[in-house]
Amino acid sequence: MNSLNFFPSVSWIIIIGLMSAGIAILAIDGINKSTVVLGPMLIAGAITTFLRQQYQLPLSIQWPVLLMLCGVLMLLARSRWIAVAPPKPWEKQSLPPRQPE
């Protein structure tokens, strides 16, 4: 089936899934120390996967590019200009101690 070009040469389900997940993370949670790494990494994964499938980008290029981008984004997440991620619902909020009356 593949040799008859019945299937497309690019797996669009994976690419669109990664891209939409990255955009959704940034849109829903906003830009904070958590999403500034995860969202762009998913988008970059979609782009490099497309380039790999369509233009035969070798893994020896794809992985180093993704790892360098991850490092740059983690450094960016440590900057003071990026907001702190809000606490998750499952994380316990510590209540201030009660004052004796």
Side-chain angles (χ1 to χ4, degrees), residues 14-15 18-19 39-51 62 66 69:
I14 294 170
I15 293 169
L18 286 171
M19 184 75 70
M41 281 302 297
L42 288 171
I43 294 169
I47 292 169
T48 57
T49 300
F50 171 76
L51 292 174
Q62 182 183 15
L66 289 175
L69 177 65

Short mmCIF file of all heavy atoms in Angstrom, two decimals, residues 14-15 18-19 39-51 62 66 69:
data_model
loop_
_atom_site.label_atom_id
_atom_site.label_comp_id
_atom_site.label_asym_id
_atom_site.label_seq_id
_atom_site.Cartn_x
_atom_site.Cartn_y
_atom_site.Cartn_z
N ILE A 14 0.15 12.38 13.99
CA ILE A 14 1.17 12.63 15.01
C ILE A 14 1.58 14.10 15.00
O ILE A 14 1.68 14.73 16.05
CB ILE A 14 2.38 11.71 14.77
CG1 ILE A 14 1.99 10.26 14.99
CG2 ILE A 14 3.54 12.10 15.68
CD1 ILE A 14 3.03 9.27 14.57
N ILE A 15 1.79 14.65 13.83
CA ILE A 15 2.26 16.04 13.73
C ILE A 15 1.21 17.01 14.23
O ILE A 15 1.50 17.90 15.03
CB ILE A 15 2.67 16.34 12.28
CG1 ILE A 15 3.89 15.51 11.91
CG2 ILE A 15 2.94 17.83 12.08
CD1 ILE A 15 4.23 15.51 10.46
N LEU A 18 0.86 16.63 18.12
CA LEU A 18 1.93 17.31 18.86
C LEU A 18 1.77 18.83 18.80
O LEU A 18 1.91 19.53 19.81
CB LEU A 18 3.29 16.91 18.31
CG LEU A 18 3.80 15.51 18.64
CD1 LEU A 18 5.05 15.21 17.83
CD2 LEU A 18 4.06 15.38 20.12
N MET A 19 1.47 19.34 17.63
CA MET A 19 1.33 20.78 17.45
C MET A 19 0.16 21.32 18.26
O MET A 19 0.28 22.32 18.97
CB MET A 19 1.15 21.11 15.97
CG MET A 19 1.07 22.57 15.66
SD MET A 19 2.64 23.43 15.74
CE MET A 19 3.48 22.76 14.33
N GLY A 39 5.34 23.48 26.11
CA GLY A 39 4.62 23.88 24.89
C GLY A 39 5.52 24.00 23.67
O GLY A 39 5.27 23.35 22.64
N PRO A 40 6.59 24.82 23.73
CA PRO A 40 7.47 24.93 22.57
C PRO A 40 8.19 23.62 22.21
O PRO A 40 8.47 23.38 21.05
CB PRO A 40 8.47 26.00 22.98
CG PRO A 40 7.73 26.83 23.96
CD PRO A 40 6.86 25.87 24.71
N MET A 41 8.46 22.77 23.20
CA MET A 41 9.10 21.49 22.88
C MET A 41 8.16 20.60 22.07
O MET A 41 8.60 19.92 21.14
CB MET A 41 9.54 20.76 24.16
CG MET A 41 10.82 21.28 24.76
SD MET A 41 12.22 21.21 23.63
CE MET A 41 12.38 19.47 23.34
N LEU A 42 6.88 20.59 22.41
CA LEU A 42 5.92 19.80 21.62
C LEU A 42 5.78 20.37 20.22
O LEU A 42 5.72 19.61 19.23
CB LEU A 42 4.56 19.77 22.32
CG LEU A 42 4.49 18.92 23.60
CD1 LEU A 42 3.17 19.15 24.31
CD2 LEU A 42 4.68 17.46 23.28
N ILE A 43 5.76 21.69 20.10
CA ILE A 43 5.66 22.31 18.78
C ILE A 43 6.92 22.01 17.96
O ILE A 43 6.84 21.68 16.78
CB ILE A 43 5.42 23.82 18.93
CG1 ILE A 43 4.04 24.06 19.56
CG2 ILE A 43 5.54 24.53 17.59
CD1 ILE A 43 3.79 25.48 20.01
N ALA A 44 8.09 22.13 18.58
CA ALA A 44 9.34 21.82 17.88
C ALA A 44 9.41 20.34 17.50
O ALA A 44 9.93 19.99 16.44
CB ALA A 44 10.54 22.21 18.73
N GLY A 45 8.89 19.48 18.36
CA GLY A 45 8.83 18.06 18.03
C GLY A 45 7.97 17.80 16.81
O GLY A 45 8.31 16.98 15.96
N ALA A 46 6.86 18.52 16.70
CA ALA A 46 6.00 18.38 15.53
C ALA A 46 6.71 18.87 14.27
O ALA A 46 6.65 18.22 13.22
CB ALA A 46 4.70 19.15 15.74
N ILE A 47 7.39 20.00 14.38
CA ILE A 47 8.07 20.56 13.21
C ILE A 47 9.20 19.65 12.75
O ILE A 47 9.34 19.35 11.56
CB ILE A 47 8.58 21.98 13.51
CG1 ILE A 47 7.40 22.93 13.69
CG2 ILE A 47 9.52 22.48 12.42
CD1 ILE A 47 7.77 24.28 14.25
N THR A 48 10.02 19.18 13.69
CA THR A 48 11.14 18.32 13.29
C THR A 48 10.65 16.95 12.81
O THR A 48 11.29 16.34 11.95
CB THR A 48 12.16 18.16 14.43
OG1 THR A 48 11.50 17.62 15.58
CG2 THR A 48 12.82 19.48 14.76
N THR A 49 9.53 16.48 13.35
CA THR A 49 8.97 15.22 12.85
C THR A 49 8.48 15.38 11.42
O THR A 49 8.68 14.50 10.58
CB THR A 49 7.83 14.74 13.76
OG1 THR A 49 8.34 14.54 15.08
CG2 THR A 49 7.22 13.44 13.26
N PHE A 50 7.85 16.52 11.13
CA PHE A 50 7.44 16.79 9.75
C PHE A 50 8.66 16.84 8.83
O PHE A 50 8.67 16.24 7.76
CB PHE A 50 6.67 18.10 9.67
CG PHE A 50 6.40 18.53 8.27
CD1 PHE A 50 5.42 17.93 7.51
CD2 PHE A 50 7.15 19.53 7.68
CE1 PHE A 50 5.18 18.31 6.20
CE2 PHE A 50 6.92 19.94 6.38
CZ PHE A 50 5.93 19.32 5.64
N LEU A 51 9.70 17.56 9.25
CA LEU A 51 10.91 17.66 8.43
C LEU A 51 11.57 16.30 8.24
O LEU A 51 12.11 16.00 7.18
CB LEU A 51 11.90 18.64 9.05
CG LEU A 51 11.47 20.11 9.06
CD1 LEU A 51 12.48 20.95 9.83
CD2 LEU A 51 11.31 20.62 7.64
N GLN A 62 17.98 15.84 14.22
CA GLN A 62 16.74 16.10 14.96
C GLN A 62 16.96 16.09 16.47
O GLN A 62 16.54 17.02 17.16
CB GLN A 62 15.67 15.07 14.59
CG GLN A 62 14.34 15.32 15.28
CD GLN A 62 13.30 14.26 14.96
OE1 GLN A 62 13.62 13.19 14.45
NE2 GLN A 62 12.06 14.55 15.28
N LEU A 66 16.59 19.30 19.16
CA LEU A 66 15.59 19.27 20.23
C LEU A 66 16.22 19.39 21.61
O LEU A 66 15.69 20.07 22.49
CB LEU A 66 14.74 18.00 20.12
CG LEU A 66 13.76 17.94 18.94
CD1 LEU A 66 13.08 16.59 18.89
CD2 LEU A 66 12.75 19.06 19.02
N LEU A 69 17.37 23.01 22.10
CA LEU A 69 16.21 23.85 22.35
C LEU A 69 15.68 23.64 23.76
O LEU A 69 15.30 24.60 24.44
CB LEU A 69 15.11 23.54 21.33
CG LEU A 69 13.81 24.31 21.52
CD1 LEU A 69 14.03 25.80 21.32
CD2 LEU A 69 12.74 23.79 20.59
#
